Structure formats: C-alpha cells, structure tokens
Amino acid sequence: MPRTFAGSPVRDLLALTSRPEVISFAGGLPAPELFDVDALRAAYDQAVSRRSLQYAPTEGDADLRGLVADRLSGRGLPTAVEDLLVTSGSQQALTLVATALLEPGAVVAVEEPTYLAALQCFQLADARIVPVAGDEYGMDPAALADVIERERPELLYLVPTFANPTGRTLSAGRRAEIAALADRHGLWVVEDDPYSELRYRGEPVPSLASMSDRVLYAGSFSKVGAPGMRLGWLRAPASIMRTLVIVKQAADLHTSTVDQAAAASYLKANDLDEHIRGLCAAYRERRDAMIGALPSTVPAGTRWSDPDGGMFVWVTLPGGVDTAELITAALARDVAFVPGAPFYATTPDRSTLRLSFTTNTTDEIVEGMRRLATVLRG
C-alpha cells in the first residue's frame, strides 16, 4: 500500500493567493523587483560551457564552495572547502540530515513554533517530534535540558536568527548554553540560517556552529540571491560528511552544475554584501511599515513580534480566536496571511498568525493592513 501524506496548509493557501488583486502577507518570499537580474544574467552567460553542462562531483563546485567558505569565515564561522556540501536549496539539506541521522521513531526536538517544512521533513522520516518551549529570546535552555533528560532526542532543529515563523533571535547567552548541552549529551544540532544576513538593526550574534562541532549549519542563496536557483549548502564535520555525500548521491547525484557555476561567477564579479545592504534598506522600510500599521490593524490585547531582521512578524490575537477561520473573510477582502497552527509540532496556539513583509512595497503593505483590519477588528 502506498503511504498517504497530509496536505500542506501553506501550499494550499498560496494557491488561493495567486490572484493578482490579492495583497499576500502569506509567503516568505523575497521581493522579485530586488533580484539582481542583470548581474545574474551575465553570470549565467559566463557559466554556460561544456564543463558546466556535464556531470559533476556530488560535493559541489569547488569554486563555489571556496567562495561560500570565505564568506562564512568572514562572518565568524571558520570554514574550509571540505566542510561544505552544496545542496538543492537548504530544504534538501534538512532531508539529507534526516535520512543520514534518523531511524523511524527517533526523537527530534524543535522550537515551538517552528518552520513548517522542517516539521514535514521530520514527519516523512517517521521521527517523533518533541517541542521545546521558548520566549521572545528564543528557545529556553532549561526547557531543552528537560527534554533531553526525558526524551533523549537524536537531533535538535532550530532557526536561531530571525526565526520562521516568529522572527525571534536566540540570544548569545542561550546559544552558548545550548551548544554546551549538545556537547555534553552528544546531541546533533541543525542550525538553519537563511535569514541572518538580512539584519535591519542591532549587532550580529555568533552562530551556534561557531560554538560546537555538534552543529550542522544549513545556509541558502535563496533569500539574498534568488530562490529559483535552488542553491544551498550544508556545513558539517568530517565525521558525518561522508555519509551525507552518499545520501545526496542517492538523491540526485549532484546539484545543478550550471546554477553552481553561475553562482560562482556572480560572487566573483559582484559585491554580494553591497546587494544585501540594498535588500536590508528596502526590507527595513517594509518591516517598519507593517509594524507601524499593526496597532490600527489588530484588536486591543493583541501581541506581536518586532523582529531585528528576516521576513516575518508573529501575531497572537486575544480572545481564543481561531485564525484559520478568518482566512475566507480575508481572501474575500483580497488580503492573505498564514494561520499559526501548522507551525506547531503538537498542540497549536490557534490564535496566532504569520505575516511576511518582504514581498510587498510599503504602499501595498499599508493598503493590505487596512484590508486586514476589516477582518481582524470586525
């Protein structure tokens, strides 16, 4: 008998928001008008060659891995070429880790709430997912210690910087405590880090991977480059890298050689940091527009996050409302959001919702929040 899988509520919702008149705060999408199209086109023109059209090593393009290693090292995470495996987006990195490390029934500890597609990945691996409590400063190390003692997890997954869906950032002190717990208990940790370069205020926080050799670090070109390239990377110690390479060989032999060559050409010829500074300036204005509109959009007693970076604002409505029941009314007013329940591993807080501010202009955000107010405030 073939296995049956539950549908993706976010995918279903995004299908409903494809109408051009809908102002969607649902998808965690970069702004397409900010893609560096001309420079990427030139990079692809340079990349297409007989070499880039051929099969390639599973580990990835050596030039690209070297450039990524240099960027990570420059950001305080010492990295060598051999530490990196290029993946088809960081989502594949999660799948490879799950396949390499998790037997059916293995326990995975996660933030509460956490990235929906990670939950789906671990569910497909037949893992048992256990949530770990946290607050506005991220995962609580004491709660994690309790989960480790009770549940003996094989893996801890978290998005410590500008988390999806909450926008929270795990404090430096808590990162050190969690890294120490991983070392003490031999716990593997996946640090999913697609957003940390999109910082709009405050100082960078050291990565978890810089604090422990038990941390597998997943990065992506999708949020600062272009998601259509499907390029990510996994930084892992030698003790597990060989297994990860074998698992990737079985999955797809290697990530698109042309896309890797184009990314390498782009990084050599362009100042990605300058491009990111432009993204941050634009996204900062969009975040500020959304945060500024929230008091007149939501009912009294509502709580929301005010993220230092990333893409998301997390909202908790008062009065025990189920945000899933508000979607139909929102779409009727040509505005969309994501209900919070799918981001919970076990018992959801149905009064929550996620808003993404990166895809729309400030004028569109103001108008979308005006429409949303008619739904949330009645």
Side-chain angles (χ1 to χ4, degrees):
M1 290 288 291
R3 297 176 65 183
T4 57
F5 302 108
S8 166
V10 174
R11 182 180 297 275
D12 295 342
L13 176 62
L14 292 179
L16 294 174
T17 63
S18 60
R19 293 184 287 117
E21 63 271 24
V22 174
I23 296 176
S24 177
F25 301 135
L29 309 177
E33 72 274 14
L34 300 180
F35 292 153
D36 198 358
V37 174
D38 291 341
L40 286 170
R41 182 182 291 115
Y44 272 95
D45 286 343
Q46 184 175 0
V48 175
S49 66
R50 287 185 175 87
R51 175 177 173 271
S52 68
L53 296 174
Q54 187 55 277
Y55 287 111
T58 299
E59 291 86 347
D61 181 280
D63 286 346
L64 178 59
R65 290 159 68 208
L67 291 162
V68 171
D70 288 345
R71 286 188 59 79
L72 292 177
S73 297
R75 294 169 54 208
L77 179 56
T79 304
V81 171
E82 57 269 21
D83 298 330
L84 293 173
L85 172 66
V86 177
T87 59
S88 299
S90 60
Q91 184 64 35
Q92 187 190 46
L94 296 182
T95 302
L96 299 179
V97 169
T99 303
L101 293 182
L102 301 178
E103 297 288 342
V107 175
V108 178
V110 301
E111 297 172 276
E112 182 82 311
T114 196
Y115 176 44
L116 171 61
L119 294 177
Q120 294 172 320
C121 173
F122 301 138
Q123 288 162 353
L124 286 173
D126 288 327
R128 184 165 65 87
I129 305 171
V130 177
V132 181
D135 55 28
E136 65 269 30
Y137 303 107
M139 180 177 286
D140 179 358
L144 174 60
D146 182 61
V147 166
I148 292 173
E149 181 68 27
R150 288 187 291 105
E151 305 289 352
R152 306 296 184 194
E154 300 286 336
L155 183 70
L156 167 65
Y157 169 81
L158 70 169
V159 186
T161 309
F162 316 138
N164 182 0
T166 63
R168 298 169 183 158
T169 295
L170 184 66
S171 68
R174 290 190 177 187
R175 290 175 192 232
E177 291 184 65
I178 289 172
L181 283 169
D183 288 341
R184 188 178 312 134
H185 296 279
L187 175 66
W188 286 113
V189 179
V190 173
E191 178 179 12
D192 197 356
D193 187 33
Y195 307 111
S196 64
E197 291 185 283
L198 298 176
R199 174 174 285 278
Y200 317 133
R201 68 173 172 229
E203 295 300 318
V205 185
S207 67
L208 269 170
S210 68
M211 301 177 177
S212 171
D213 291 335
R214 300 293 303 181
V215 179
L216 311 177
Y217 178 96
S220 174
F221 198 58
S222 293
K223 304 305 188 293
V224 298
M229 297 178 77
R230 302 313 305 133
L231 286 177
W233 45 85
L234 185 63
R235 179 188 182 275
S239 61
I240 192 174
M241 179 61 81
R242 182 175 181 275
T243 300
L244 291 166
V245 171
I246 292 170
V247 171
K248 181 165 172 61
Q249 284 175 340
D252 64 359
L253 295 183
H254 61 80
T255 293
S256 165
T257 314
V258 174
D259 290 321
Q260 292 186 69
S265 294
Y266 177 85
L267 290 171
K268 289 176 182 177
N270 298 275
D271 186 347
L272 180 58
D273 290 331
E274 178 63 26
H275 177 66
I276 292 172
R277 283 191 286 272
L279 293 178
C280 288
Y283 291 161
R284 182 184 299 112
E285 291 183 355
R286 298 178 186 199
R287 179 207 58 187
D288 291 348
M290 179 170 282
I291 294 294
L294 269 167
S296 59
T297 302
V298 297
T302 299
R303 294 177 286 113
W304 60 84
S305 62
D306 185 1
D308 292 335
M311 293 185 163
F312 306 111
V313 175
W314 184 246
V315 179
T316 303
L317 299 175
V321 63
D322 186 346
T323 58
E325 296 177 357
L326 301 176
I327 284 296
T328 301
L331 290 172
R333 290 164 174 81
D334 293 331
V335 66
F337 60 85
V338 179
F343 297 98
Y344 288 84
T346 52
T347 305
D349 181 348
R350 297 187 180 278
S351 67
T352 56
L353 61 97
R354 191 192 74 180
L355 300 172
S356 177
F357 52 80
T358 50
T359 314
N360 298 292
T361 66
T362 54
D363 288 344
E364 289 168 338
I365 289 170
V366 170
E367 171 59 20
M369 297 296 275
R370 185 194 65 78
R371 297 176 189 180
L372 189 58
T374 66
V375 178
L376 300 184
R377 294 174 71 95

